[in-house]
Amino acid sequence: ALRLARAYTKGTEVICLDTAYHGHTTACIQISPYKYENKGGEGKADHVYKVRLPDTYRGEYGSDDNAAGFKYAQDVYHACEEIKQKRRKLAAFFAESIVGCGGQVSPPAGYMKTAVQYVKDAGGVYIADEVQVGLGRIGSGWWGFELHDMVPDIVTLGKPLGNGFPLAAVVCTRAIADAFNNGME
């Protein structure tokens, strides 16, 4: 997913949520604060921008704040601005639709739409990590991103896909797939 995003955007920088866990490859650990900030972790890589978890239970903005989604999304805006100030280019906002390792946190209304608009305005793509919540595991829909009324540019999925076998997949738009078709593979 990261290679797809980078091929399409020509960017290198990635925005992730605090407490996120996106996998155990080196590239995934680098965008997983759950891993890189804990025992054995190597700390945040220079191309990674961690934003606050939009948690209305334990966070600064509670469920009684109708603007919580917009307020938390400002962290994404500021990350995009920091990337721009460093004269770097954003590749992706990589986020779980419901944050598993952070405590099964579903971002507040408006968060994803606002955050993703900031990302797109900065030239990046939205990667929805559906490994833990996708394929009907949320009960009310097939995908977690449906809760946010969003269509991601790239979707990662796994665990239930293989029915017990270690199988994963990535799905993306035609434009992203075409950008990846550069002869390397």
Side-chain angles (χ1 to χ4, degrees):
L2 288 172
R3 283 185 62 203
L4 288 165
R6 288 175 173 150
Y8 180 72
T9 64
K10 307 295 187 232
T12 55
E13 313 304 280
V14 179
I15 299 171
C16 66
L17 296 175
D18 193 9
T19 74
Y21 174 58
H22 297 296
H24 61 270
T25 66
T26 300
C28 289
I29 288 171
Q30 287 180 337
I31 60 168
S32 299
Y34 178 77
K35 288 290 191 183
Y36 72 65
E37 290 182 339
N38 288 306
K39 187 176 180 179
E42 297 179 2
K44 187 177 75 59
D46 192 44
H47 69 279
V48 176
Y49 300 78
K50 179 183 75 171
V51 297
R52 280 185 296 182
L53 179 66
D55 185 346
T56 58
Y57 180 69
R58 293 170 288 243
E60 181 178 356
Y61 309 113
S63 59
D64 60 337
D65 185 342
N66 292 333
F70 175 79
K71 290 176 180 177
Y72 280 116
Q74 296 315 295
D75 290 356
V76 175
Y77 172 80
H78 292 299
C80 291
E81 287 297 305
E82 182 180 350
I83 292 165
K84 184 178 173 183
Q85 288 172 358
K86 289 181 177 180
R87 299 180 196 263
R88 296 180 180 175
K89 186 152 176 35
L90 177 62
F93 173 46
F94 206 120
E96 295 169 275
S97 300
I98 298 174
V99 183
C101 289
Q104 303 306 316
V105 175
S106 185
Y111 174 80
M112 292 304 271
K113 279 192 172 187
T114 305
V116 169
Q117 189 58 58
Y118 292 144
V119 167
K120 290 189 179 279
D121 290 347
V125 297
Y126 164 41
I127 302 173
D129 180 343
E130 292 280 329
V131 171
Q132 292 191 51
V133 299
L135 296 161
R137 296 176 101 188
I138 61 170
S140 62
W142 196 246
W143 305 108
F145 61 78
E146 291 176 302
L147 298 173
H148 310 295
D149 195 27
M150 299 283 307
V151 177
D153 300 294
I154 301 173
V155 179
T156 60
L157 48 139
K159 297 181 193 257
L161 185 64
N163 196 28
F165 292 94
L167 182 63
V170 63
V171 180
C172 64
T173 66
R174 169 57 63 191
I176 291 172
D178 288 344
F180 188 71
N181 186 17
N182 61 13
M184 182 183 288
E185 303 300 331

